[in-house]
């Protein structure tokens, strides 16, 4: 009998020994890799302990609270984001003003940082303590926006409602969950770490228990990228579909472009108080990642309209190249229904539909059916909600990508103008715009 014959018992025994040996070698290699930090500590290469906190030299990074526009819109997107929607419990304009003034005060402190005052131990502490006795700013921004429902009969604000602010309605592919939609007010938290955002949220909830009630919350993150090489553009982060996200975002450092795309301008058809504010569209978009991961690469790239590895458009070599659809009128390279082509056809007419995207990846655990609950916390800003997000999403209705995603929540909000002086506060212009009408 041939020793190499699989039916030979000797061959089978030998095969088992080889496989067992390979398994043992794999375990040994894995153990070696996992033990590297400990081995390094024993040889004096590091003194780190297992319980030591990760270190960062960015905890003192801060943004200026004051400005014509709120921060957290064109400011660079950090690693951790969170969008929280609230129901406003205020019963009259006096309470609403107290809410806005308190928000203003807390955000000023949280974005600046500093020591927390100590109180009698018999009383509740003034701070949760999760950042310690001295609050670090940690690159925090908190952006305040208001929903259409704030302009109902409660506060006499109806006459000052932004012209295009509406309650979000579902698109054909949506499966909106009521508990994850809409709200009187939204707060967008962005910082270097998730704990800084949580600390800020708890501070605001603690200081406004009678005026704000959390309606829904979604946390997200952005995976850090390696620094760009000299002479190369920085790469966009990847979403949970594995593609680079926001590759064609407008240049947030281009002031003129931002005035056209993002900021409501003085003298527009919007209420005068709304100048320098912006419309915020939020969507919680679940990704069916198990289905996506079983889809051939060629089909994935065809659906998105980009090369997965590099992020380049189908007719390009690197991520930030602009696709030339004029040379591809029949969709031979970039399909006519590819996501990037529908979202931005790059025609003179669709230039008015540009938006500034600020997305975060999210992961919420596992659904009851055992599928991973993860996707994109999509946030975008624009001066005109109808020409911006709504027009873009309408073009995307029916796209092939819909097979792999399902929007389940979100809302439309109007981001208040910034604070320009010590006596100013968030929402002051809105209240003053309706003061005379209310008093009359």
């Amino acid at each position: 009998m041939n020793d190499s014959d699989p039916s030979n018992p000797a061959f089978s025994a030998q095969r088992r020994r080889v496989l067992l040996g390979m398994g043992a070698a794999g375990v040994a290699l894995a153990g070696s890799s996992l033990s590297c930090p400990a081995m390094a500590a024993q040889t004096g290469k590091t003194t780190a302990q297992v319980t030591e906190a990760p270190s960062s030299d960015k905890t003192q990074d801060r943004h200026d609270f004051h400005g014509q526009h709120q921060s957290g819109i064109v400011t660079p997107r950090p690693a951790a984001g969170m969008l929280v929607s609230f129901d406003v419990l205020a019963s009259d304009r006096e309470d609403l003003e107290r809410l806005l003034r308190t928000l203003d005060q807390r955000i000023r402190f949280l974005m600046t940082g500093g020591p927390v005052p100590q109180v009698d131990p018999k009383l509740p502490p003034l701070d949760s303590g999760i950042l310690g006795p001295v609050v670090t700013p940690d690159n925090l921004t908190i952006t305040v926006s208001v929903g259409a429902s704030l302009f109902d009969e409660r506060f006499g604000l109806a006459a000052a409602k932004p012209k295009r602010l509406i309650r979000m309605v579902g698109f054909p592919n949506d499966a909106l969950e009521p508990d994850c939609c809409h709200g009187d007010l939204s707060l967008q938290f962005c910082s270097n770490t998730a704990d800084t955002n949580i600390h800020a949220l708890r501070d605001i909830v603690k200081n406004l228990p009678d005026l704000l009630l959390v309606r829904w919350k979604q946390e997200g993150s952005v995976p850090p990228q390696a620094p760009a090489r000299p002479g190369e553009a920085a790469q966009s982060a990847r979403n949970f579909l594995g593609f680079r996200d926001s590759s064609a975002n407008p240049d947030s450092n281009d002031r003129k472009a931002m005035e056209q795309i993002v900021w409501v301008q003085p003298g527009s058809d919007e209420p005068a108080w709304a100048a320098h504010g912006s419309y915020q569209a939020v969507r919680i978009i679940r990704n069916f990642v198990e289905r996506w991961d079983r889809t051939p690469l060629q089909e994935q790239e065809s659906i998105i309209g980009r090369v997965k590895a590099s992020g380049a458009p189908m007719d390009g070599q690197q991520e930030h190249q602009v696709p030339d659809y004029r040379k591809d009128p029949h969709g031979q390279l970039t399909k006519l229904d590819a996501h990037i082509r529908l979202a931005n056809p790059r025609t003179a007419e669709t230039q008015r539909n540009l938006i500034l995207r600020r997305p975060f990846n999210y992961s919420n655990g596992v659904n009851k059916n055992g599928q991973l609950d993860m996707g994109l916390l999509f946030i975008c800003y624009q001066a005109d909600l109808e020409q911006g997000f709504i027009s873009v999403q309408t073009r995307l209705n029916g796209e092939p990508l819909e097979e792999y995603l399902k929007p389940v929540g979100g809302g439309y909000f109007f981001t208040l103008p910034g604070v320009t002086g010590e006596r100013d506060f968030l929402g002051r212009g809105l209240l003053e715009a309706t003061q005379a009408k209310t008093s009359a």
Side-chain angles (χ1 to χ4, degrees):
M1 183 177 290
N2 190 342
D3 288 344
S4 62
D5 184 352
S7 62
N8 188 344
F11 174 83
S12 299
Q14 181 181 7
R15 183 172 182 270
R16 284 196 298 272
R17 285 194 295 271
V18 171
L19 291 175
L20 288 171
M22 291 174 65
V27 171
L29 287 171
S32 174
S33 174
L34 292 172
S35 65
C36 279
M39 293 171 62
Q42 293 171 4
T43 57
K45 292 183 179 179
T46 179
T47 57
Q49 298 296 317
V50 67
T51 54
E52 287 185 20
S55 61
S56 171
D57 60 357
K58 303 295 184 182
T59 59
Q60 292 301 324
D61 288 357
R62 58 171 56 86
H63 291 281
D64 190 356
F65 173 78
H66 294 94
Q68 196 174 61
H69 313 293
Q70 287 194 67
S71 56
I73 300 175
V74 299
T75 46
R77 180 184 52 164
M82 178 169 65
L83 199 294
V84 185
S85 173
F86 297 85
D87 291 327
V88 170
L89 304 179
S91 57
D92 53 32
R93 284 177 63 93
E94 184 178 354
D95 272 352
L96 180 62
E97 180 170 343
R98 178 163 63 91
L99 162 62
L100 293 171
R101 285 185 178 274
T102 304
L103 268 179
D104 184 280
Q105 293 168 1
R106 296 318 303 162
I107 293 173
R108 287 174 191 253
F109 169 73
L110 292 166
M111 286 180 58
T112 303
V116 178
Q118 300 302 305
V119 297
D120 187 330
K122 296 179 181 178
L123 299 174
L126 297 181
D127 187 85
S128 64
I130 64 175
L131 298 185
V134 178
V135 173
T136 52
D138 201 29
N139 207 24
L140 175 69
T141 61
I142 305 175
T143 309
V144 182
S145 308
V146 293
S149 53
L150 192 73
F151 295 85
D152 58 17
E153 70 284 352
R154 288 174 292 173
F155 311 114
L157 303 178
K161 181 181 176 182
K163 187 174 181 179
R164 295 161 181 84
L165 183 59
I166 61 174
R167 180 182 174 92
M168 185 180 71
V169 296
F171 290 90
N173 190 48
D174 290 359
L176 300 178
E177 301 171 5
D179 292 344
C180 297
C181 294
H182 318 303
D184 293 330
L185 182 145
S186 79
L187 296 181
Q188 176 197 265
F189 299 81
C190 300
S191 71
N192 293 332
T193 57
D195 280 15
T196 296
N197 292 338
I198 291 294
H199 172 267
L201 172 62
R202 286 175 58 178
D203 180 284
I204 288 170
V205 170
K206 176 181 174 62
N207 282 279
L208 291 166
D210 60 327
L211 298 179
L212 282 181
L213 177 67
V214 173
R215 183 178 178 88
W216 54 268
K217 174 177 75 74
Q218 182 58 64
E219 297 182 54
S221 62
V222 181
Q225 304 296 296
R229 298 175 182 175
E232 293 184 357
Q235 295 179 327
S236 303
R238 295 183 185 273
N239 56 32
F240 279 155
L241 298 181
F243 281 78
R244 298 197 179 277
D245 204 303
S246 303
S247 299
N249 225 17
D251 182 357
S252 59
N253 292 314
D254 186 333
R255 182 174 178 178
K256 184 177 181 180
M258 293 300 97
E259 288 177 351
Q260 294 174 342
I261 298 169
V262 175
W263 307 120
V264 170
Q265 294 300 299
S268 71
D269 61 352
E270 293 286 357
W273 73 266
H276 311 302
S278 184
Y279 284 93
Q280 179 193 66
V282 181
R283 302 274 280 175
I284 303 173
I285 306 173
R286 186 184 167 203
N287 296 158
F288 300 134
V289 294
E290 293 92 347
R291 182 184 303 170
W292 182 257
D293 290 343
R294 293 190 293 268
T295 301
L297 175 61
Q298 184 177 7
E299 185 176 347
Q300 291 185 4
E301 294 180 335
S302 176
I303 289 171
I304 299 296
R306 290 187 178 275
V307 179
K308 191 170 188 177
S310 66
M314 303 306 289
D315 60 349
Q317 287 74 46
Q318 53 92 6
E319 178 190 357
H320 297 290
Q321 282 183 267
V322 177
D324 189 349
Y325 299 140
R326 295 171 302 176
K327 296 181 179 180
D328 185 25
H330 303 295
Q332 297 299 314
L333 286 175
T334 306
K335 300 294 185 183
L336 298 179
D337 58 2
H339 179 77
I340 70 167
R341 192 161 187 167
L342 290 175
N344 185 0
R346 298 187 179 277
T347 66
E349 294 77 15
T350 57
Q351 284 298 105
R352 71 185 67 178
N353 307 137
L354 296 179
I355 58 179
L356 184 72
R357 290 163 288 166
R358 194 180 176 89
F360 295 87
N361 298 330
Y362 79 81
S363 180
N364 290 344
V366 183
N367 287 330
K368 292 181 179 180
N369 61 4
Q371 291 185 329
L372 300 173
D373 183 0
M374 56 177 55
L376 192 71
L377 171 58
F378 176 90
I379 306 171
C380 73
Y381 294 90
Q382 55 265 287
D384 187 318
L385 181 62
E386 293 174 0
Q387 288 192 0
F389 172 78
I390 294 176
S391 292
V392 173
Q393 182 57 52
T394 299
R395 283 200 300 268
L396 291 171
N397 286 342
E399 65 170 325
L401 185 59
E402 286 186 346
E403 182 182 349
Y404 301 93
L405 54 82
K406 184 68 66 175
V408 296
Y412 298 152
F413 303 90
F414 187 83
T415 302
L416 300 174
V419 173
T420 56
E422 290 299 330
R423 294 187 177 182
D424 194 8
F425 63 91
L426 288 166
R428 178 187 60 82
L430 170 59
L431 293 179
E432 291 183 353
T434 54
Q435 186 65 51
K437 294 180 176 61
T438 303
S439 299

